Amino acid sequence: MKAIIVCTSVSHGNTKRIAEVMGQVLEARVVAPEQVDIAELSACDLVGFGSGIFSMRFHPQLCEFVRSLPEGQRRRAFVFATSGLPEPRFRPYFGPFARLLEQKGFEVGDTFSCRGLDTWLPFRLIGGVSKARPNATDLEEARAFAEGLRARIGAVS
């Protein structure tokens, strides 16, 4: 199984830490959107897409990258995020991002999220929320998530 992880991690490196753990398990390169070679992306069996959550959305850089992709990718994908707070029911962010990927032909099978230090205003005034996250438990959960992906996708490939 050939995999790649496209990750936008800009504030505290939270998402990059999660991506690197998943990348180790999946033997996948972790790259920023501007580092992706479209030919390499097309050759992968599995593509991960992840970012921190900004204003209850995936990072605009990652969204713009996905919008720029040609349609018909026909690849399995997974989505992951870090955020200071849980995904609110009144404004989900995984669903809209997964639909954007599906419009490009990706089959989004799994999602993963965990808390991450968030110092966006007004949280900055109190030193942030979800301090010391992702922690060892979060990283282990990311590892287990990736091992599950590898087992399921590897069995099908």
Side-chain angles (χ1 to χ4, degrees):
M1 175 183 73
K2 184 170 166 91
I4 191 168
I5 297 174
V6 182
C7 173
T8 300
S9 185
V10 298
S11 294
H12 302 287
N14 300 327
T15 311
K16 178 98 172 174
R17 289 176 58 207
I18 295 296
E20 288 172 347
V21 167
M22 292 178 177
Q24 289 171 353
V25 172
L26 297 171
E27 299 177 16
R29 244 172 31 103
V30 176
V31 296
E34 65 272 10
Q35 298 171 314
V36 175
D37 177 340
I38 300 300
E40 180 183 10
L41 191 74
S42 297
C44 289
D45 302 303
L46 179 66
V47 183
F49 295 92
S51 82
I53 299 301
F54 295 83
S55 298
M56 292 194 249
R57 291 186 175 96
F58 278 80
H59 194 280
Q61 182 185 30
L62 185 64
C63 293
E64 189 54 40
F65 169 73
V66 172
R67 284 186 199 97
S68 75
L69 292 173
E71 291 186 16
Q73 290 294 308
R74 306 290 183 253
R75 298 282 174 261
R76 289 186 183 98
F78 68 95
V79 178
F80 64 100
T82 59
S83 62
L85 300 171
E87 180 179 36
R89 289 180 187 216
F90 65 88
R91 184 135 180 226
Y93 41 80
F94 273 103
F97 189 72
R99 283 191 291 282
L100 178 61
L101 287 167
E102 289 164 354
Q103 289 171 0
K104 296 298 181 170
F106 288 94
E107 178 188 325
V108 180
D110 295 281
T111 62
F112 176 86
S113 71
C114 71
R115 298 298 138 258
L117 173 62
D118 188 346
T119 55
W120 180 76
L121 282 176
F123 304 135
R124 185 177 310 151
L125 299 173
I126 59 168
V129 295
S130 298
K131 297 175 185 175
R133 301 281 302 271
N135 58 27
T137 301
D138 297 319
L139 296 175
E140 187 52 43
E141 288 174 358
R143 181 178 312 287
F145 172 83
E147 287 170 350
L149 281 174
R150 185 181 65 193
R152 284 189 305 282
I153 304 299
V156 175
S157 296

